[in-house]
Amino acid sequence: MKDKIFSFIDNSVPLLVELETELCKRPAISPDAGGEGELDKCVFLEAWLRAQGISQLERYDAPDARAKGGVRPSLVATIPGKADTKRLWIMSHIDVVPPGEAGLWQSDPWTVVQADGGTRPDGTPLGPRLIGRGVEDNQQGLVSSVLAALSLVRQGIAPSHTVKLLFAADEENGSAYGIDWLLKNQGTKVPADLFRKDDMVLIPDGGDSQGVSIEIAEKNLVWARFTTHGLQAHGSRPDQGANAHLAGADLAVRLHYGLSEKFSDHDSLFEPDYSTFQPTKKEANVPNINTIPGEDVFCMDMRILPRYPVKTVLAEIDRIKAEVEAKHRVTITYTTPQCMESKPTSADAPLVKLLSKSVAEVYGVKTRPIGIGGGTVGAYLRNEGIDSAVWCRIDDTAHQPNEYAIIGNIVGDAKVMALLMTSQC
Ligand SMILES: [Zn+2]
């Protein structure tokens, strides 16, 4: 049976090129990034899957007035298995990021180009590959999951457990219209048992060029936007004002060093192996040099080891903020555009063991569990108690110009997924 499945996948290269090409033609950029959303791409994918013989399809539309059709659609394909307990999900996302600076692309980002030859920066040869925005992030995982499913469906092989392919909206901008929406609306706009605690989820949207890293944990993520309210004055008369920029800068420095010192543990699952507290975006204040700003805005990106509850970190932020307010005679408010905790999946979970075995069988490599910087879709699922692992074999060209996907990786990853679908656990 394995030979039959693998040879189907090996013979599916023209099909995968076709699917990648068609998906790439339909930019599914979030309205948050100036696009019209996922509708065209989702409608195409649904029709394509149906034509290929995957017929059990449901679409769930998160309302978003900014997007084409007023919706952000996610699609679920079901392949009934011999058992319906412990269902295996493979979750990819349909949305892509904008191409970025056009001059850095050697071809049209929305037209798939095939290439061969050349080497990576480390000198290893690059195999045959596809180039275009989204071909790797996340169409590689999407297409691999489809090939794996087709290798069963088209040959009359039932998976050992029911397989669910999820093609989610809105991964690149926080998942409020994607996985987060689906989980929050279970029992109302989405079936109550769409996800079950016993389900396992593979997320083929992160990895390394050998396919050895299986991500099972992530840092807690907090993005914060601080607004400092002071008193505007002439540059020569700071005595008559309250410098919001100075106070904001003082806060940024105190938060960076103070939080790093207070939450200073190390954990080797992660890289870097400590919590990070970085001042990032700085918004413009006054347009001229000789005015003391009355208002100032800066942001911080914080990635915190899972052992530290977010509320403990927020309490420390509040304490430091109060010190700065008193010292500079300003008031400071803040919002958290992203704020999420993440429970890890166990390295001994059946999903992780099975994945490790399947990767060894296809690629001949030994995997290792890792944790990452945070803010991925895995956290939403893990927080619901659903085992989730992020894995695929990629060069990680996501979000770069001339993004590419190695055809051999799409094929190999499809074999790993097909092994998962047909394994007992
Ligand atoms: Zn992605």
Side-chain angles (χ1 to χ4, degrees):
M1 184 178 76
K2 193 181 101 181
D3 293 348
K4 217 172 140 185
I5 291 171
F6 281 15
S7 76
F8 180 97
I9 294 171
D10 283 327
N11 290 326
S12 296
V13 173
L15 199 62
L16 82 80
V17 175
E18 175 192 310
L19 183 53
E20 277 273 25
T21 304
E22 293 298 325
L23 293 170
C24 193
K25 275 185 203 165
R26 297 165 173 84
I29 296 171
S30 163
D32 293 301
E36 49 183 36
E38 298 87 354
L39 186 61
D40 287 351
K41 193 167 169 180
C42 189
V43 166
F44 162 79
L45 180 61
E46 186 172 359
W48 193 92
L49 291 172
R50 218 175 274 287
Q52 291 292 327
I54 295 178
S55 53
Q56 208 174 313
L57 295 158
E58 296 99 41
R59 208 178 93 188
Y60 302 107
D61 290 346
D64 182 354
R66 305 167 304 164
K68 185 166 179 181
V71 295
R72 308 292 299 278
S74 292
L75 184 66
V76 176
T78 303
I79 297 101
K82 292 175 195 150
D84 194 46
T85 53
K86 282 178 86 69
R87 302 165 310 172
L88 171 71
W89 288 82
I90 300 179
M91 174 185 170
S92 54
H93 62 86
I94 339 179
D95 59 318
V96 300
V97 295
E101 211 179 309
L104 297 174
W105 282 81
Q106 282 156 16
S107 55
D108 172 30
W110 309 116
T111 307
V112 164
V113 171
Q114 296 196 50
D116 199 351
T119 53
R120 295 186 179 83
D122 68 2
T124 55
L126 279 163
R129 59 197 182 275
L130 305 175
I131 300 167
R133 172 56 81 231
V135 294
E136 181 191 271
D137 182 17
N138 186 214
Q139 284 154 216
Q140 172 172 330
L142 188 163
V143 171
S144 290
S145 74
V146 168
L147 287 188
L150 287 177
S151 75
L152 306 186
V153 170
R154 295 272 287 273
Q155 304 192 99
I157 302 167
S160 55
H161 294 267
T162 295
V163 168
K164 297 263 189 183
L165 306 185
L166 168 59
F167 310 103
D170 195 32
E171 188 275 343
E172 298 290 357
N173 290 276
S175 294
Y177 302 93
I179 188 67
D180 192 24
W181 185 84
L182 290 170
L183 288 166
K184 281 187 178 143
N185 286 281
Q186 289 200 103
T188 54
K189 290 160 192 145
V190 174
D193 67 342
L194 183 68
F195 296 97
R196 302 182 201 148
K197 299 269 181 251
D198 283 343
D199 289 351
M200 320 185 284
V201 185
L202 172 68
I203 305 165
D205 192 22
D208 60 74
S209 62
Q210 298 307 306
V212 298
S213 312
I214 299 179
E215 183 239 296
I216 54 166
E218 55 192 87
K219 291 177 181 173
N220 295 333
L221 172 72
V222 180
W223 285 356
R225 183 176 181 276
F226 296 90
T227 304
T228 304
H229 309 272
L231 185 60
Q232 186 174 312
H234 192 278
S236 65
R237 295 303 305 268
D239 55 308
Q240 293 178 347
N243 191 330
H245 185 179
L246 182 63
D250 193 7
L251 179 64
V253 171
R254 286 177 192 231
L255 288 176
H256 171 71
Y257 290 104
L259 297 171
S260 302
E261 204 169 292
K262 178 140 182 122
F263 305 103
S264 60
D265 280 4
H266 291 245
D267 182 340
S268 61
L269 200 59
F270 294 93
E271 202 178 330
D273 66 353
Y274 50 86
S275 305
T276 58
F277 304 93
Q278 291 293 315
T280 52
K281 182 175 175 179
K282 176 76 189 72
E283 293 184 10
N285 45 42
V286 291
N288 55 311
I289 294 178
N290 59 344
T291 293
I292 287 171
E295 188 168 300
D296 191 76
V297 177
F298 76 96
C299 301
M300 287 195 58
D301 178 310
M302 300 176 260
R303 316 276 167 146
I304 306 148
L305 291 181
R307 69 192 62 186
Y308 297 120
V310 163
K311 67 176 195 318
T312 314
V313 176
L314 294 180
E316 183 63 8
I317 290 174
D318 288 338
R319 195 191 63 75
I320 296 172
K321 179 175 89 71
E323 279 178 7
V324 173
E325 285 173 323
K327 182 180 172 194
H328 294 270
R329 292 173 293 116
V330 296
T331 55
I332 300 169
T333 56
Y334 70 96
T335 57
T336 51
Q338 287 237 60
C339 185
M340 73 187 296
E341 288 186 352
S342 176
K343 295 193 192 98
T345 287
S346 165
D348 295 322
L351 169 66
V352 182
K353 297 236 143 132
L354 199 56
L355 180 58
S356 179
K357 189 168 158 265
S358 305
V359 172
E361 197 169 333
V362 172
Y363 288 122
V365 296
K366 189 172 158 31
T367 58
R368 64 182 157 81
I370 63 156
I372 61 152
T376 78
V377 292
Y380 293 102
L381 293 156
R382 292 186 194 115
N383 287 345
E384 295 292 317
I386 301 167
D387 283 344
S388 304
V390 178
W391 172 88
C392 60
R393 180 152 146 148
I394 48 166
D395 281 0
D396 204 8
T397 59
H399 301 208
Q400 294 174 17
N402 310 305
E403 174 181 348
Y404 65 80
I406 305 280
I407 290 175
N409 288 344
I410 305 178
V411 169
D413 288 8
K415 290 177 183 173
V416 171
M417 294 173 190
L419 287 178
L420 289 179
M421 292 174 180
T422 51
S423 296
Q424 300 296 333
C425 63

